[in-house]
Amino acid sequence: MKQHALQHIVDSAYCFPVSKDEITIRLRTATGDVERVWVIYESKYKIAQSQEKLEMAKAFEGELFDYYSVTLKLKDTRLAYVFYIYDGQDYYYFSEDGATKDYDFEKSYYNFFQYPYINEADILGKVNWLSNASFYQIFIDRFNIGDKDKDMSYINMKWGDKPLPKSFAGGDLKGIIDKLDYIKGIGCDALYLTPIFKSPSNHKYDIVDYFQVDEQFGNSQDLHTLVKELHNRGMKIVLDAVFNHVSEHNEKFADVVQKGRESEYFDWFVIDGDLPTKEPLNYEVFAGCKYMPKWNTSNSAVQDYLMSIALFYINEFDIDGWRLDVSDEISHDFWRRFRKEVKAAKKDAVIIGENWHDASNYLRGDQYDSIMNYAFTKAALDYFAYNKMDAAHMARKLNDILARNTDTVNDMMMNLLDSHDTDRFYSEVGEDNDKLHAALALLYLFPGEPSIFYGTEVYTPGGYDPDCRRCMDWEAAGQDLEVKELIKKLSDVRKKCEFSSEGTRIYASEDGRLLCIERHGKKSDARLYINQTDKQGIDREIQVDPMGFKLFVNGGEMV
Amino acid sequence: MKQHALQHIVDSAYCFPVSKDEITIRLRTATGDVERVWVIYESKYKIAQSQEKLEMAKAFEGELFDYYSVTLKLKDTRLAYVFYIYDGQDYYYFSEDGATKDYDFEKSYYNFFQYPYINEADILGKVNWLSNASFYQIFIDRFNIGDKDKDMSYINMKWGDKPLPKSFAGGDLKGIIDKLDYIKGIGCDALYLTPIFKSPSNHKYDIVDYFQVDEQFGNSQDLHTLVKELHNRGMKIVLDAVFNHVSEHNEKFADVVQKGRESEYFDWFVIDGDLPTKEPLNYEVFAGCKYMPKWNTSNSAVQDYLMSIALFYINEFDIDGWRLDVSDEISHDFWRRFRKEVKAAKKDAVIIGENWHDASNYLRGDQYDSIMNYAFTKAALDYFAYNKMDAAHMARKLNDILARNTDTVNDMMMNLLDSHDTDRFYSEVGEDNDKLHAALALLYLFPGEPSIFYGTEVYTPGGYDPDCRRCMDWEAAGQDLEVKELIKKLSDVRKKCEFSSEGTRIYASEDGRLLCIERHGKKSDARLYINQTDKQGIDREIQVDPMGFKLFVNGGEMV
């Protein structure tokens, strides 16, 4: 047995409560290295005398590692346990002290694994609407002009031209309201909007005043109307919380520029000197951008201020959650407070971090519900666009991604192929419609919820920012496009099935050509086969054409 | 290269900030499997263009794994990094995507490791007095009777007789005050007292009233005097916070027993029914003990109440910290609040959990400073008492224990050979003085701070509770005992050296006989050799007798 591969970490994605009396336990082994795995367990006050034993099933088959899993239903949640492993030759116990041939249960209180007690306050609850949602992400300036009467003098590009970094096209909140039926018509039932607050830029990630809707986009009445119209349609809205940094024109930073240390806001920023200067740059900023000074979120007055914003839009406008910009550069300390106060204000408001990397430390129940799943994005690019992975490799990769987090988190992951921060996926696959379609099928079938960047449904191409932020092609949107129909069908499948992580199986067919995804749903089950080779692939008598895919729900072919 | 062994977990003991601009990075490999390891790093906004490269040193050699480590001093703390590994044949990069022969820094934003930004609020600060302390743990009823005028009618055993579960011997706070010079005389400068609050038992872990010193032990004036007398001597005091459960005679639980659901305290406990009943037991208790109902610490009113206790003894009595009883069965959520409020009340008050198992999730800067290091206890038992490990195995075990936590936490770990909850170590080693002496030397030299259970300094034997809680032998304490001298000498060594984790090396001599501990201190360095074999052992010309040990400070032999 490859002992180096064995891993179990208590109080992590390897051991997490899913309810007041249920705990899911995982064990990592080397791929294909062992034959059977059991968990031996009991209340920690009884395990010295007697033990229960339950076999675990292989849940994920990753690149280097297999992950076995089981969910225990417990009377006493003071859980103590060790693993019992059969590698085909020998039996091993695996405890905090590693793998051993023998195990002394009498002295096990020194080295058993344990989940000491399920405290309700520590359980990450699943927000059901989030795991069932299909998101539509809008970069507002480029989506749709709704207010024909507004001062249009700021608009400096023709709708449909290629955007430049400082282009303004005129999209606004009314323009979104006008298109809600369209968005719902393609099956999306949740909006994620890039920032809407007063800001000099087109992207509005440099906010001047968090308490005002930017006048290019409308006003607070428009926001009220948008939320109401969404909720009337059974749709949700998530806004962009830009709390890492602010515009240099924000009054608080401006005060510091003017008064230096005398300003009451001096400690709201991180300044190495008595006065912020750009040359040499002596204050912390976002990504080297001098016009975006970073908030000092370790300062409790800053935390109070940012919380007042977060709660204002929940309490006054009834929004359904926040996407957290550059969330990984802000303290855990702040996000813990954020969660407590946001969830107290609205229980099923969602918190979605922009963490491009392993974020498991933010996803333990005390901070976010979910993140934008860029690890999935990268895998989709490597498989569909860059030909870096075959089906077998891709299956293992996707399993590894799932193994990073708890099932509860996986069910809430915001999966995406692209966003305002990447090249458009459609361009990455060389504007190959078949590849986009297959990738969309994967996006909708992968545990979590899909997020479509506006324009995807009309084959909008685009390179990196600002090219990925082109104007929405409303002429194309009026046509019967295969991709639009597909997106609608895929969202119907999600609604029909109501998937949960449990029972997910991702593997490659024996001929190595098909990527196969099996999902289990509350109402129906589904199976997806993707072929990214130039030969026909077969799995259990299902034949899939070269570069094609097939989707079955309860055994019937849907797409 | 054994790829299964490679491990790096961001934002954990593998990557932690030690100051506002310093981050320690660790990489795990299979033992002896690779020759050199580097970290390649830069600010995450620059790493695509240019990279720094620094070699890492082997910090811990464990049973299955080696741990390489380096501390980076950074200008920009938005750290992105990958590892570069040479196994003697090939070079590998190691990123979030695993080990690869090539690495594309241009696309590295998808899979580099990162520490996104050091926020001060997330740094676990070192409490200097704690890492330099030598603790003396007192089980009060058995330590010393100071108040000769009190009502002694509750005392039901003769001082020095074998205690039974319900024995009362009469020890009290005045008895401790009378012995402070004695305690300081053996080199201890911090007390950890088992609970002192009103309670019917001798151990007082079933508290009736947290706001009263138990009258058997004295009164609040005695506590004031004790703290004052300690502080006058430059000593510290840590009290026992029993916040997991309470006595059934506590007025709040009594109210629930009387009124059931009508009681305002009904939700302060976890009751399955309308009224708590013992037969069948329908409420949560500690360890199956019906007289100790468990607090519902997910209830914020309970949190408020427990916090008021914690803060009362800091604010009114100036105590120096809390040891947290059964801390692992209480929610993370509560401990996060506990830390915030305790540290706000007294910055260098310490928080020490009673977690017998891997507690790394409690030791990230948001909950405790330290735990009682029972993993060390177990290793010491296996090596000195049970002959389960030779020196090489013991060295690897101790390295594995250190690798569990950050250097900062390791410097604050409360190491112990025994406590009121275990058999006495002296009995475990068959009352072998040499073994006790050698184990004490290890206890004092291991990263963290030592905690001596009262009576250790006079060779007190004892089995499991209640036998480990025998009366202090004051006649023996008046004699010149080797163990007492040794404890004093060892604490002098700690004061002389002012150790820190950095530079610690634990290994076995080439002949396999000696366990060797090298420590680096702010003021002096030290080296300890322990021989637990029946043959002479040698390391770099130092010869150590069978079953002996030698301790050097700055090269000069101390013991």
Side-chain angles (χ1 to χ4, degrees), chain B residues 2 18 70 173 185 221 228 318 383 396 449 454 512 532:
Chain B
K2 289 181 177 135
V18 285
V70 72
L173 296 189
Q221 189 47 56
K228 211 182 102 208
D318 199 23
Y383 179 55
R396 295 193 297 266
E449 72 281 353
Y454 78 99
Q532 284 290 298

Side-chain angles (χ1 to χ4, degrees), chain B residues 473-531:
Chain B
D473 182 350
W474 288 110
E475 200 187 307
Q479 296 163 14
D480 289 335
L481 295 173
E482 201 180 335
V483 64
K484 209 169 67 175
E485 296 302 312
L486 173 65
I487 286 172
K488 176 69 171 72
K489 252 187 223 165
L490 290 168
S491 75
D492 288 344
V493 167
R494 286 176 54 83
K495 285 196 190 82
K496 192 180 164 70
C497 294
E498 292 190 15
F499 295 128
S500 81
S501 274
E502 216 183 324
T504 299
R505 210 180 139 229
I506 301 177
Y507 62 96
S509 58
E510 279 186 23
D511 63 15
R513 295 190 189 128
L514 301 187
L515 174 66
C516 313
I517 320 270
E518 276 180 21
R519 294 298 308 273
H520 180 64
K522 224 193 247 175
K523 295 188 180 155
S524 301
D525 293 346
R527 232 189 290 164
L528 172 68
Y529 298 97
I530 294 176
N531 188 350

Side-chain angles (χ1 to χ4, degrees), chain B residues 243-443:
Chain B
F243 288 172
N244 177 65
H245 53 267
V246 67
S247 162
E248 61 176 332
H249 302 302
N250 170 273
E251 60 176 22
K252 290 173 171 67
F253 189 71
D255 194 72
V256 177
V257 169
Q258 207 192 329
K259 301 177 189 161
R261 278 194 192 276
E262 299 303 304
S263 168
E264 62 176 303
Y265 304 113
F266 186 82
D267 289 335
W268 287 42
F269 303 92
V270 185
I271 302 161
D272 184 15
D274 294 326
L275 203 68
T277 59
K278 287 190 180 174
E279 296 294 341
L281 183 67
N282 70 348
Y283 56 93
E284 289 281 353
V285 298
F286 167 65
C289 302
K290 296 172 184 182
Y291 68 103
M292 294 204 240
K294 181 171 166 61
W295 290 115
N296 174 13
T297 50
S298 295
N299 179 334
S300 65
V302 175
Q303 292 193 357
D304 292 344
Y305 173 66
L306 298 176
M307 283 315 309
S308 74
I309 299 159
L311 297 176
F312 177 71
Y313 287 97
I314 291 173
N315 293 330
E316 298 297 316
F317 292 85
D318 199 23
I319 66 162
D320 302 295
W322 287 103
R323 176 263 189 187
L324 314 174
D325 189 52
V326 199
S327 43
D328 56 2
E329 296 189 21
I330 296 173
S331 64
H332 291 296
D333 182 60
F334 177 69
W335 293 129
R336 288 191 185 106
R337 176 173 174 189
F338 185 86
R339 182 182 188 86
K340 269 199 180 297
E341 299 190 18
V342 162
K343 295 282 180 181
K346 186 166 182 174
K347 198 168 170 272
D348 66 350
V350 297
I351 301 168
I352 304 169
E354 186 205 5
N355 290 50
W356 287 55
H357 297 269
D358 183 354
S360 44
N361 270 355
Y362 297 81
L363 293 165
R364 299 175 180 278
D366 57 327
Q367 296 168 69
Y368 322 151
D369 297 311
S370 167
I371 58 167
M372 295 176 80
N373 196 353
Y374 281 109
F376 172 85
T377 311
K378 174 70 158 49
L381 287 170
D382 284 345
Y383 179 55
F384 292 106
Y386 309 149
N387 261 325
K388 279 195 181 169
M389 292 197 282
D390 60 15
H393 191 172
M394 177 64 165
R396 295 193 297 266
K397 184 75 197 170
L398 294 176
N399 276 295
D400 281 330
I401 289 173
L402 290 175
R404 280 186 183 182
N405 288 297
T406 66
D407 296 339
T408 319
V409 167
N410 286 336
D411 274 332
M412 294 195 284
M413 273 287 175
M414 187 192 245
N415 303 316
L416 66 166
L417 296 175
D418 51 14
S419 74
H420 64 294
D421 281 332
T422 68
D423 295 40
R424 289 248 179 202
F425 192 82
Y426 187 55
S427 291
E428 292 273 24
V429 293
E431 305 193 13
D432 180 322
N433 290 11
D434 290 338
K435 280 179 175 284
L436 177 63
H437 299 166
L440 283 166
L442 175 63
L443 175 71

Side-chain angles (χ1 to χ4, degrees), chain B residues 445 490 493 526-528 549-553 556-559:
Chain B
L445 268 287
L490 290 168
V493 167
R527 232 189 290 164
L528 172 68
F549 72 94
K550 278 186 182 173
L551 173 59
F552 298 84
V553 173
E557 191 169 345
M558 291 283 291
V559 188

